[in-house]
Amino acid sequence: MMTVTDATAGVTSRYRVAGGWRESDDTRTLPVISPVDESTIGGVHEYTRDEIDEVFVAAHRAQPRWAARPLTERSELLHRFADRLAENADAIGDVLMMEVAKAGKDARDEVVRSADYVRHTAEDAKRIIGDTQFSDSFPGQARNKLAVVHRVPLGTVLAIPPFNYPVNLAVSKIAPALVTGNTVVLKPPSQGALSALLMCELAYDVGVPPEVLQVVTGRGSRIGDYLVQHPGVDLITFTGSSGTGADLARKAGMVPLLLELGGKDPAIVLADADLDAAASDIVSGAFSYSGQRCTAVKRVLVVDTVADELVARIAERTAKLSVGDPRENATITPLVDPEAATGAERMVNEAVAAGAVLVHGGTRTGRLLQPTVVDHVTEAMELAWVEPFAPVLPVLRIRSAAEAVRIGNRSEYGLQAAVFTRDIDMAIQIAARLDVGTVQVNGRTARGPDHFPFLGTKASGMGTQGVRPSIEAMTRVKSLVVNLRAPDLGASA
Ligand code: NAP
Ligand code: G3P
């Protein structure tokens, strides 16, 4: 079992290129500063362009050999990787907690969830089957061609996860890519790089060749463009902000993209909803991990006849949230991005100045923003539309379900939505009209369980994640057409 000190020491003074170790020098070492207490918890190497080139050459050289290994062998390696992840959930979870200020229990749970993801993927990949077709099922064709249709890996996958799930959103890319025979170049978030490096060392420990799964660290703003435009990339699977994702898509060129981006998920509450249950789901959905979840509830659209009762219940629950140190499992912790804290504070103050009502919170100490509920937010306010990625919950009052659909669809985002009502037919009708990837009925917006399809429309993404969709996205169809001759079989016996 690795200790936290051992865990970080082992990966901060050295770095790998094409599988081999090199000594990092101070000129290219990026310190990893903990948002928890501003302490330096490690350092990672910022890869040069030449080193990135070496990484991709090694990835392409290794890929045919990796793809030629039996699927069951790759699957077994992933199972062993998952076992090591689970065994080291505490050690990696503690590093993750300090890197991204996630409550310790949630950080460790993220590692366990990741092990489960890897196992599910390792098994599901063995259930991907192909298809065969004869030619004469098409008009004018004789039965003289047989198509054997199967799936093959794309080559080398560039995987770029965000800071808020630096392990889980990394394995959600790594596992499907590896099990299908691709090699992977992982560019972890700067806040989360230590956790990612430790995770990948576990994969090497169980037998995944280092040149098959390589990590390139460095600030995305400095090496990102070189990575996404690299000729060695055969697919980019990116999870992050809509701005970064759109910019990446413009630069990537003719490369398949899998983009999971930002959101502004509404919780729609109708007059017949169970307000206690809705308030609990909304507060949990809006404020877990300080609202730093793409699928967080980021606005409430509540029918005005029950708004006062709902807001009172939301305020009561918000006031009970633990605030402070993730080492004590606080729900509300210092934000990873200090500008998210100041930006959210500014939007709240502007909304209140324009007539909104501050129900709870609204104060900030450095990166730590109190859980904030703002009522009577209108469509004229920035808070109704912008993703703050912070513990801020705007409440808009509506008159009808139709208005909820209009306001919901007016957003540039289309990740998820939640509908709280006892009328399932109404929920289904609203869901049918919302332009989003997923509608939760009487539950908080969420990606999990991880084998469910996960996607966003509009500025929220492109393509679909989830175990099976990700496996398919990292492969392509290949068709083998056998031209059949009709030899004379000779006289029957
Ligand atoms: P981000 O700033 O877009 O960064 C995401 C990843 O991209 C990081 O690894 C980042 O590296 C890298 N990156 C930055 N600039 C890049 C560039 N020019 N080229 C290539 N890569 C680049 O997002 P974040 O702050 O980490 O995460 C928060 C955002 O992600 C929110 O908008 C949230 O909604 C979204 N998100 C979406 C999902 C989803 O599944 N839909 C899940 C989680 C988060 P550095 O860390 O070095 O900058
Ligand atoms: O923002 C990360 C996204 O994957 C959220 O996951 O399970 O917390 O909804 P979850």
Side-chain angles (χ1 to χ4, degrees), residues 30 158 160-165 169 187-191 218-228 238-245 247-248 251 259-263 292-295 298 336-337 387 389 413 415 447 454-456 460-461 465:
L30 295 174
L158 173 60
I160 306 178
F163 77 77
N164 62 342
Y165 283 81
L169 285 172
K187 184 348 244 174
S190 292
Q191 294 297 135
R219 295 226 181 286
S221 57
R222 292 213 287 255
I223 65 170
D225 287 356
Y226 193 69
L227 282 167
V228 302
F238 171 86
T239 300
S241 64
S242 294
T244 306
D247 183 52
L248 178 155
K251 292 172 179 171
L259 303 178
E260 299 289 349
L261 306 178
Q292 295 173 114
R293 291 168 51 242
C294 59
T295 48
K298 294 180 184 143
V336 167
D337 179 359
E387 177 187 49
F389 227 54
Y413 296 107
L415 195 59
R447 169 167 61 105
F454 182 65
L455 68 153
S460 290
Q465 270 193 161

